[in-house]
Amino acid sequence: METEEILNLKNEAFAQITTAQTKEELENIRVAYLGKNGKITNLIKKIKNITPEKRNKYGRTINSTKQNIENLLFERKQQIIEELEKKEEWFDLTIPGIKPQIGSKHPLLETLKEVENIFRYLGYQVAEGPEIETDYYNFEALNIPQDHPARDMQMTFYLNLKDEKGNPKILRTQTSAMQVRVMEQIRPPFRVLVPGRNFRYEQVDASHGFEFWQVEGFVVDKDISLTDLFGTIDFVLRELFGENIKLRFATTNFPFVEPGVDTYMSCTICNQKGCPFCKNTGWSEIMPAGIIHPNVLRRGKIDPEKWGGFAFAIGLSRIVNLKYRISDLRTLNTPDIRILSQFK
Ligand SMILES: [Zn+2]
């Protein structure tokens, strides 16, 4: 009688356990049979009421039933866990993938490469120089002695470092600082391009930054004239901006060139209608230049009686602004990926 009852309970429990779908269901079944007031637990409590002759057999049956239920609960639980893991691994090939974010070249470097290629075509070699410079190469060798008024136009960052003459080192204010460095190294004739960053203590606005890129270029050769300079500027800017640009040259004064020339290009951002970038003039000052001053050649141990040269500095940041029609120079210095990703 009692054994039959146990057998029924066992079958009932087995049926429930094998059809359970979740760990929670299994837990409920465990409590219903093996919990404090579980059906099996209650039968165990009854053992003491059973006659001693039957007690042994009854006890063994119920214990083995309890063991069987526990084992089956454990096995089913493992199955459920495995099925869950399989479900998570399941991979739907038809779901569209997530596009990874890949970088792109910065418009400044992209344009620099373009500028370098144009000049390489013209026979220039590319050189790079230090951003921390001595007063000598940045100013003195370029015909700008101490207390020359031109120094006031180039507000300079002075560093807590001294050069061999005891003067404070500076952050270079112009890539022209490389002119005499190069002249000391190689003999004319040569055509050299020096791209790089310069630093000036300036009020930052839409067309000025305290850090700006220049591409310095200089040529030393025989029979150099302003025509060579104008021809070079004209060729390079039309390669960069197309045939429709207008150029204007005006004389200006830089101590390291004689004569000095300012190059103005028609503003491509506003098509000469006037905008903050060109300060409503329709023209953007883009490339100061000139014939290299004999004193600079002498500093570079080149005889100005035999050799002549011209030099120019391209405002690379301005070129990028004009090329990509960005009306604010500061945009290029932002690390904001949303802005930079527009230039892909
Ligand atoms: Zn403009």
Side-chain angles (χ1 to χ4, degrees), residues 326-337:
I326 306 164
S327 58
D328 194 323
L329 198 80
R330 289 165 289 193
T331 310
L332 290 174
N333 294 332
T334 170
D336 192 331
I337 206 91

Side-chain angles (χ1 to χ4, degrees), residues 138-236:
N138 194 82
F139 291 120
E140 236 180 292
L142 294 171
N143 214 21
I144 315 172
Q146 296 284 349
D147 64 37
H148 192 286
R151 290 194 180 212
D152 295 340
M153 291 163 63
Q154 299 188 11
M155 299 291 280
T156 308
F157 287 109
Y158 287 90
L159 303 176
N160 249 346
L161 298 166
K162 296 260 193 280
D163 61 23
E164 56 270 26
K165 286 182 182 168
N167 293 319
K169 287 194 173 183
I170 60 172
L171 291 180
R172 71 174 171 204
T173 61
Q174 47 191 353
T175 29
S176 315
M178 270 296 278
Q179 282 188 20
V180 171
R181 278 188 183 274
V182 168
M183 289 175 195
E184 287 173 347
Q185 300 287 326
I186 54 176
R187 293 293 88 197
F190 56 73
R191 300 169 187 193
V192 177
L193 201 69
V194 185
R197 245 185 301 217
N198 300 303
F199 307 86
R200 290 185 196 176
Y201 188 68
E202 279 203 48
Q203 182 75 38
V204 175
D205 64 24
S207 53
H208 293 88
F210 65 85
E211 174 192 338
F212 61 100
W213 277 79
Q214 262 186 351
V215 183
E216 173 86 11
F218 48 95
V219 169
V220 176
D221 208 333
K222 296 231 155 93
D223 304 320
I224 290 289
S225 73
L226 268 181
T227 320
D228 300 307
L229 174 60
F230 292 152
T232 304
I233 294 176
D234 187 82
F235 176 82
V236 171

Side-chain angles (χ1 to χ4, degrees), residues 90-104:
W90 189 70
F91 187 73
D92 186 351
L93 287 169
T94 63
I95 295 175
I98 300 164
K99 205 176 168 192
Q101 192 167 34
I102 49 166
S104 59

Side-chain angles (χ1 to χ4, degrees), residues 267-283:
C267 180
T268 55
I269 293 174
C270 63
N271 276 326
Q272 291 201 291
K273 289 187 185 78
C275 70
F277 190 79
C278 60
K279 298 201 168 71
N280 287 320
T281 60
W283 295 94

